[in-house]
């Protein structure tokens, strides 16, 4: 398996524009996570899906952020409209888990977003 | 929900010395404690993990200890090398109602040659 695949790797956009980040989890994994990483706040969990269903989106900063997982092999994180404070590295991660246990969390390479 | 505290935030050691990073967690139901290493500009990657039915686990120069009573766990790196320089994150997993990993804020380890 190629691992968790994210695109784009880098995105530079202007304030107010829509940004869409994409993720393909590892085949067979049933849980997918979106994290945001900044120097100030570290790794923050934005949202996670289990079997394509959003379980906890309490980390999503505000209504400008939305995430979807239409099927087991694809997820998107959208920011509309984007703001300079959204500049960060966004990681997607996946794993196989159940209620009692979890496996290793595999991260993608990340998408570095810069909003001017 | 789970809360994970990690200390110190930065750590500098001389090459060959040992490094210790400590974490505490709040949810007594947590049963899985991984450690991730993130090199500059790279993704976090698992280096070692421990489950709640063991107290210590070792893998070459790295070891992790777990004290469930006190709700803390630690990462020990012996004979540190320059390539150990990175940010290290601890995490705790609670399957009780919220099956997600909660990460600590990270420790930036610098190994001075």
């Amino acid at each position: 398996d190629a691992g968790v695949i994210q695109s784009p790797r880098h995105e530079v956009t202007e304030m107010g524009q829509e940004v869409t980040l994409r993720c393909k989890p590892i085949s067979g994994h049933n849980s997918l996570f979106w994290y945001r990483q900044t120097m100030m706040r570290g790794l923050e969990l934005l949202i996670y899906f289990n079997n394509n269903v959003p379980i906890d989106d309490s980390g999503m900063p505000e209504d400008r952020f939305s995430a979807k997982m239409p099927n087991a092999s694809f997820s998107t994180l959208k920011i509309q409209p984007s703001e300079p404070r959204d500049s960060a590295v966004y990681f997607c991660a996946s794993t196989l888990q159940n209620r009692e246990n979890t496996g290793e969390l595999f991260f993608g390479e990340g998408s570095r977003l810069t909003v001017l | 929900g789970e809360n994970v505290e990690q200390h110190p935030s930065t750590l500098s050691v001389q090459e060959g010395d040992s490094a210790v990073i400590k974490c505490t967690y709040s949810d007594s139901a947590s049963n899985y404690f991984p450690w991730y290493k993130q090199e500059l500009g790279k993704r976090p990657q698992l280096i070692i993990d421990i489950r709640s039915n063991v107290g210590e686990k070792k893998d070459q120069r790295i070891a992790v200890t777990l004290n469930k009573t006190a709700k803390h766990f630690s990462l020990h790196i012996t004979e540190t090398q320059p390539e150990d320089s990175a940010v290290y994150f601890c995490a705790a997993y609670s399957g009780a109602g919220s099956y997600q990993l909660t990460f600590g804020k990270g420790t930036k380890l610098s190994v001075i040659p």
Side-chain angles (χ1 to χ4, degrees):
Chain A
D1 201 313
V4 177
I5 300 172
Q6 290 187 246
S7 65
R9 293 290 313 279
H10 302 274
E11 174 96 2
V12 180
T13 190
E14 292 191 343
M15 184 172 66
Q17 296 298 304
E18 178 178 294
V19 174
T20 299
L21 308 179
R22 298 173 177 81
C23 177
K24 182 181 185 322
I26 291 174
S27 176
H29 283 182
N30 64 352
S31 296
L32 181 142
F33 303 77
W34 282 101
Y35 287 91
R36 178 172 67 177
Q37 187 175 38
T38 60
M39 288 292 293
M40 292 298 294
R41 302 168 76 96
L43 265 173
E44 298 176 277
L45 178 65
L46 300 177
I47 185 171
Y48 85 94
F49 296 85
N50 185 260
N51 294 320
N52 313 339
V53 175
I55 303 298
D56 184 353
D57 65 355
S58 58
M60 296 286 259
E62 47 201 272
D63 291 345
R64 298 185 297 106
F65 285 69
S66 63
K68 293 182 180 179
M69 192 164 186
N71 56 62
S73 58
F74 183 66
S75 177
T76 59
L77 177 69
K78 190 173 290 188
I79 309 171
Q80 166 64 16
S82 58
E83 297 182 3
R85 60 193 167 120
D86 301 330
S87 298
V89 179
Y90 291 81
F91 286 102
C92 176
S94 73
T95 189
L96 179 64
Q97 64 176 193
N98 55 40
R99 281 188 178 275
E100 291 76 36
N101 224 336
T102 189
E104 177 180 350
L105 190 63
F106 290 86
F107 285 83
E109 299 271 18
S111 294
R112 181 176 293 276
L113 173 65
T114 303
V115 183
L116 303 174
Chain B
E2 177 65 277
N3 182 46
V4 177
E5 300 281 342
Q6 183 172 349
H7 300 280
S9 56
T10 60
L11 179 61
S12 289
V13 299
Q14 290 292 135
E15 182 178 357
D17 287 351
S18 295
V20 180
I21 303 170
K22 298 182 179 181
C23 290
T24 61
Y25 61 99
S26 60
D27 188 348
S28 57
S30 290
N31 58 10
Y32 173 64
F33 308 91
W35 286 86
Y36 284 79
K37 176 183 180 182
Q38 186 178 26
E39 296 175 353
L40 190 63
K42 301 286 182 67
R43 70 182 111 186
Q45 291 190 288
L46 180 74
I47 54 170
I48 195 168
D49 57 16
I50 191 167
R51 297 191 185 268
S52 59
N53 56 341
V54 297
E56 183 173 356
K57 185 176 178 181
K58 226 177 171 180
D59 183 3
Q60 299 183 332
R61 293 186 299 107
I62 60 173
V64 58
T65 58
L66 170 64
N67 183 329
K68 284 222 75 180
T69 303
K71 289 191 276 190
H72 65 69
F73 56 113
S74 302
L75 177 72
H76 304 254
I77 306 173
T78 58
E79 300 170 30
T80 52
Q81 300 168 4
E83 52 264 38
D84 295 329
S85 297
V87 178
Y88 292 80
F89 293 94
C90 63
Y93 172 79
S94 173
S98 169
Y99 25 101
Q100 59 173 280
L101 278 175
T102 302
F103 283 88
K105 294 288 187 200
T107 297
K108 183 176 181 182
L109 174 64
S110 300
V111 180
I112 304 162

